Amino acid sequence: MRTLIAILRFITLFIVMFLGTFLVLITSWIPLKYKGSRWCAWIATGMARAFLRIFNIRVECRERERMVQHTGFIFPNHDAFLDAVLAIAVRPVRFLAAAEVAEVPFVGTVAKAIGTVFVNRENKASRQQARTDLAEITGDQPIVLFPEGKIDGKRTLSPFRYGAFEIAQQAKKSILPAVFIYEPFEVSTWHEDGFVSAAWRLAQRLTPVKAKLIPLNT
């Protein structure tokens, strides 16, 4: 039963990703905006919301208006592959992401279209270019940047990379810290087993996963 449900969820997800990516590509050329974000960004938000429904993830976003109205950087913890999905499901956002994300089927295409800035953290020139690109971004769409830099599969915070705060200072943008909380934690996170294995584990779950996104006070 679990296997059948997981297969059906993956099939549905593939259809959503295929159609959504197609629509994102078409609308990425349209400069018109809705509530400060381009149409393609809203389609990406719709794809994220569909993902959460397909995988039976119940989302609670406290003080949603603070997330919606913020126009600077959002600095959340980074515990799960769901973090980015949850962030963009609340409202259209941009990301700073690892360079390899650009090569992921569907995900990379959508990420490029919504204005994600990619960085190779092992390359000094790439890191500097990413800082420049982030500082030059204009508009009201917030930028999600994970100060920990990576997922470590633990409940505790990893040391923050100081560069994240330098970027915000250079860009003269405000910072909104936030926290993701998942229950059960073990189902939503991934570290050593990889994205596909983590997604398969999540797809087989019969009961809902509870996810919270909570903006914090600065």
Side-chain angles (χ1 to χ4, degrees):
M1 184 61 155
R2 292 177 182 270
T3 301
L4 177 60
I5 290 175
I7 292 173
L8 290 175
R9 282 174 170 167
F10 266 90
I11 292 173
T12 306
L13 178 63
F14 176 82
I15 294 172
V16 169
M17 294 298 291
F18 180 83
L19 294 177
T21 302
F22 177 71
L23 291 174
V24 165
L25 285 174
I26 291 176
T27 57
S28 63
W29 299 95
I30 301 175
L32 297 178
K33 294 183 177 181
Y34 173 72
K35 292 185 177 180
S37 299
R38 292 187 301 157
W39 290 0
C40 65
W42 281 106
I43 293 172
T45 291
M47 293 169 68
R49 291 173 180 175
F51 179 99
L52 296 175
R53 285 182 174 273
I54 291 168
F55 285 86
N56 197 18
I57 300 168
R58 308 287 176 83
V59 179
E60 176 186 346
C61 181
R62 300 179 185 176
E63 301 183 69
R64 180 181 291 267
E65 283 304 309
R66 288 183 63 197
M67 299 294 299
V68 171
Q69 295 175 7
H70 185 71
T71 58
F73 284 90
I74 298 175
F75 282 3
N77 59 323
H78 201 13
D79 287 333
F81 74 94
L82 293 174
D83 294 345
V85 178
L86 190 58
I88 198 171
V90 173
R91 62 155 299 169
V93 295
R94 300 187 185 196
F95 294 94
L96 173 67
E100 53 266 27
V101 172
E103 306 303 322
V104 177
F106 299 128
V107 174
T109 301
V110 173
K112 293 174 185 176
I114 66 174
T116 297
V117 175
F118 299 100
V119 59
N120 179 354
R121 299 189 186 279
E122 308 303 319
N123 185 290
K124 183 177 180 180
S126 178
R127 294 197 304 270
Q128 184 57 50
Q129 184 61 50
R131 289 190 181 196
T132 301
D133 293 342
L134 288 169
E136 292 177 351
I137 288 178
T138 59
D140 295 334
Q141 194 165 307
I143 304 164
V144 174
L145 195 160
F146 299 103
E148 293 172 276
K150 63 180 181 179
I151 300 173
D152 62 9
K154 301 177 182 178
R155 288 180 181 267
T156 56
L157 285 173
S158 298
F160 286 179
R161 296 174 181 266
Y162 65 86
F165 299 90
E166 287 186 342
I167 291 171
Q169 185 178 34
Q170 181 181 353
K172 297 181 180 179
K173 290 182 177 291
S174 59
I175 296 173
L176 177 63
V179 60
F180 294 107
I181 301 175
Y182 299 98
E183 185 63 41
F185 177 80
E186 294 73 16
V187 173
S188 57
T189 192
W190 67 280
H191 179 46
E192 297 179 351
D193 53 355
F195 169 77
V196 175
S197 296
W200 180 254
R201 184 172 62 247
L202 179 64
Q204 294 182 84
R205 185 173 176 83
L206 300 180
T207 55
V209 171
K210 297 179 182 180
K212 295 181 181 179
L213 173 53
I214 305 172
L216 304 177
N217 294 322
T218 53

